[in-house]
Amino acid sequence: MPLLETIGNASAFAYGETSKGTSITIISGSVSFAYTGSPQYWTVPAGVTSLSVVLFGAQGGGSAPGGAGGYGGSVSGTLTVTPASTLSIIVAGSGGASTHGIYNYTYPGGAGGYGGGGAGGYQDNTPGGNTGAGGGGASQILISGTATYLAIAAGGGGAGAGAQSAGGGGGLTGAAGGGGGGTQTAGGSVYQGGAGSSLQGGQGQYPGALGGNQGGGGGGGGYFGGGGGPTGTNAGGGGGSSLVPAGGTTATAVASGNGSVLISYTGIIYG
């Protein structure tokens, strides 16, 4: 029988010596990451050259008059890694909700979620107005200290303050709200509000600039972020796009609340 040593959630099976006198140890384990609002770091164990990962993006903020924020996307796949290298883990935060403004006061829109969610459009001294909700952030794995992204699960767009203004969901190509969804090559387009860009959702349109009183939703974060929503009706932000490892899978608009990241691994140590 092999020797099984368990430390936390990591297991090591020592198979003794090979015919050439070299011992072999098989290690396996998993580690999960929840939202903290700041980067998290993880060092690849010795002997591990590939990881199985599952990432979920975050949901955009909601709006009582406009509807729900778009759900985040998911990404699953296998990453090729170097033993002892350090990965940066960004676990997405959900977008801030819409708020009701008061005349003669300027209210900020819902905050964009951690991981590149765009801010909602603010309410600007117009009676009866409401701010747009913030877009959800994208969950990300990258090589620490570089701009080499290995996997990204997109966030959903924030809801706009006007009627029929739910946010678009995050996915391989983000779903459109009032703002366009992010694609594999560009941020979501807009006719009002801020366009999405690399890793960043666009800001929702603020009503004072155009004479309305309902702010647009922020775009979801992603490989390319969703576009911010316009003022008025159909004002939700677009969902961001996901970055999927080769051979991996993805789904659109499946994750509510904050995002998450799960890493599983198996490796061999010779010694």
Side-chain angles (χ1 to χ4, degrees):
M1 294 290 290
L3 173 65
L4 169 60
E5 180 183 7
T6 302
I7 302 174
N9 62 354
S11 301
F13 296 82
Y15 282 84
E17 294 187 346
T18 68
S19 60
K20 295 184 179 181
T22 301
S23 65
I24 296 176
T25 302
I26 298 177
I27 64 170
S28 63
S30 63
V31 58
S32 60
F33 297 88
Y35 168 72
T36 64
S38 60
Q40 302 174 64
Y41 302 95
W42 185 71
T43 300
V44 178
V48 173
T49 58
S50 67
L51 308 173
S52 296
V53 299
V54 181
L55 301 84
F56 289 96
Q59 183 179 8
S63 163
Y71 280 12
S74 69
V75 167
S76 301
T78 301
L79 307 180
T80 299
V81 293
T82 302
S85 61
T86 301
L87 302 180
S88 296
I89 315 296
I90 305 296
V91 180
S94 57
S98 169
T99 58
H100 181 68
I102 302 175
Y103 188 46
N104 287 333
Y105 290 89
T106 297
Y107 276 72
Y114 177 66
Y122 60 86
Q123 189 266 354
D124 188 20
N125 292 339
T126 52
N130 296 276
T131 70
S139 291
Q140 308 157 38
I141 300 176
L142 65 155
I143 298 174
S144 186
T146 76
T148 302
Y149 288 82
L150 304 178
I152 298 174
Q164 301 175 348
S165 294
L172 183 64
T173 296
T183 72
Q184 291 298 295
T185 58
S189 60
V190 295
Y191 73 92
Q192 295 174 1
S197 58
S198 175
L199 305 175
Q200 180 61 52
Q203 182 172 356
Q205 179 66 43
Y206 69 95
L210 298 168
N213 64 356
Q214 308 293 346
Y223 184 42
F224 286 94
T231 186
T233 59
N234 188 28
S241 65
S242 295
L243 174 64
V244 184
T249 61
T250 183
T252 301
V254 295
S256 61
N258 295 323
S260 63
V261 173
L262 173 66
I263 297 175
S264 303
Y265 60 89
T266 299
I268 301 175
I269 299 174
Y270 300 92

